Amino acid sequence: MELNGDGNIDILSGSYSRQDEDMAGLFQVLWGQKGGTWKKPEALNGSDGQPLILPRSGSGGDDGGDDDVTDRICTRPTAVDLDGDGKLDIVAGNFSGTFAWFRGEGGGKFAPKAEWLEADGNRLQVDAHGDPFFVDHDGDGDLDLFSGSAQGGVFLFPNLGSKTAPKFGARVTLLEPHGHHGTDDGAVQFGDAHIVTPQSDTRVWLADVDGDKKLDLLVGDTVRLIHLAEGVDEKTGREKYAAWQKKQSEFLQQPQPDSEDGQEKWQQAYDALEKEREAFAKEESTGFVWLLRGK
């Protein structure tokens, strides 16, 4: 995206948390240069010269307690002209699943303080890890908000206001959260044939993929798959996996040692337990991109 009006494409990213101060995610920007190159990443500052930081929820300021630290971490920004004034704003999701709006001041500058996006006085929120995407979904000229969540699903917050005065309505669930454990009623399922809908950690994008002038929904997710080891039949795999899960559960119920040496030995024992599973089943974390065509 082009943040500062110099004609070069910039790269905007969020981060989980800075390391040298209280927990708070930063926004990183790689300013574009001529020739398709970028400068080194740097923290994106507000117009006061200080890094943009998401507010705490206590009073919309910085006086909240430690219990609302999740409001400030795992920043997931998008640049969008939310209020139609011709200046790019930044709207960011966070660990809490809420959305903060830094108003744009033009030329790649942004207001130092953010405000929460709300509906009827309550913050817009998904279950966790909000990741905002804006598009005029209903064709009324203003921008509607879409998001996935850590638990999965796809959610819409319709804009009931106007292009220059956004006002959001209550959350609409477009796709129910589904989980990501690759199991059904506690029974392990091998392979991926049982995965028929987006799982957890959903990220969304809307575009007319097939050129029919209707917005389609693209959903990325995370899924844990379990595959039988070569030469192991499903019946044997289920029996061995159930026995291994019991052994794992018993191991994890034991208190972990406090000493560094004890913790190292505990980790070695757990790694050995994980290695045992490889004899009959292998696990992988991966993800899919799903296409839900617009009607």
Side-chain angles (χ1 to χ4, degrees):
M1 57 189 63
E2 215 276 80
L3 285 177
N4 57 4
D6 65 357
N8 299 312
I9 297 297
D10 310 303
I11 299 174
L12 175 66
S13 177
S15 64
Y16 186 88
S17 177
R18 55 185 175 181
Q19 300 299 315
D20 56 345
E21 299 184 48
D22 61 316
M23 290 188 71
L26 299 176
F27 303 103
Q28 303 286 335
V29 62
L30 289 76
W31 296 111
Q33 304 178 113
K34 292 182 178 179
T37 61
W38 291 270
K39 295 181 180 179
K40 292 182 178 180
E42 59 183 68
L44 183 61
N45 294 334
S47 55
D48 62 352
Q50 298 301 310
L52 293 179
I53 297 292
L54 294 178
R56 296 184 188 272
S57 62
S59 62
D62 294 328
D63 55 355
D66 292 338
D67 59 340
D68 58 10
V69 68
T70 56
D71 292 335
R72 314 187 84 188
I73 61 176
C74 198
T75 56
R76 297 185 175 187
T78 188
V80 60
D81 183 6
L82 185 57
D83 54 3
D85 65 355
K87 301 172 184 177
L88 281 177
D89 311 303
I90 287 179
V91 176
N94 58 17
F95 193 104
S96 295
T98 52
F99 306 93
W101 177 15
F102 293 91
R103 292 179 182 266
E105 298 179 356
K109 301 294 184 181
F110 301 92
K113 301 295 183 182
E115 57 193 90
W116 297 111
L117 296 185
E118 297 182 342
D120 295 326
N122 298 311
R123 289 194 292 169
L124 307 186
Q125 188 167 19
V126 295
D127 295 325
H129 290 180
D131 191 51
F133 179 85
F134 290 91
V135 69
D136 182 7
H137 175 252
D138 49 14
D140 64 354
D142 54 39
L143 295 174
D144 306 297
L145 169 60
F146 289 79
S147 181
S149 80
Q151 281 69 40
V154 176
F155 308 96
L156 163 67
F157 298 91
N159 190 342
L160 307 179
S162 66
K163 181 178 179 179
T164 56
K167 179 182 179 182
F168 292 95
R171 186 176 85 178
V172 178
T173 300
L174 301 180
L175 186 67
E176 292 285 350
H178 191 271
H180 68 290
H181 299 297
T183 61
D184 183 14
D185 296 329
V188 64
Q189 297 191 54
F190 299 109
D192 61 11
H194 61 286
I195 306 295
V196 296
T197 188
Q199 303 293 291
S200 71
D201 300 320
T202 45
R203 311 284 283 269
V204 303
W205 193 275
L206 283 91
D208 181 6
V209 175
D210 51 12
D212 65 354
K213 299 183 180 180
K214 299 175 183 177
L215 286 174
D216 306 303
L217 177 62
L218 293 159
V219 184
D221 69 358
T222 297
V223 60
R224 181 171 65 92
L225 298 178
I226 307 170
H227 300 279
L228 289 168
E230 186 175 354
V232 178
D233 63 82
E234 185 166 338
K235 181 176 182 296
T236 302
R238 288 186 181 280
E239 292 172 351
K240 289 183 175 294
Y241 199 90
W244 180 87
Q245 283 184 310
K246 181 180 179 181
K247 188 174 181 180
Q248 181 197 45
S249 177
E250 292 172 349
F251 180 88
L252 294 176
Q253 288 175 10
Q254 301 174 14
Q256 291 192 33
D258 295 327
S259 68
E260 183 175 340
D261 181 62
Q263 290 177 1
E264 183 177 352
K265 291 180 178 179
W266 184 95
Q267 186 62 52
Q268 290 173 350
Y270 187 77
D271 291 343
L273 182 61
E274 291 277 297
K275 191 72 174 177
E276 288 181 19
R277 183 183 55 197
E278 294 180 7
F280 56 88
K282 296 182 179 180
E283 294 193 17
E284 66 170 335
S285 291
T286 185
F288 300 104
V289 176
W290 302 79
L291 171 60
L292 289 79
R293 296 184 185 274
K295 295 182 178 181

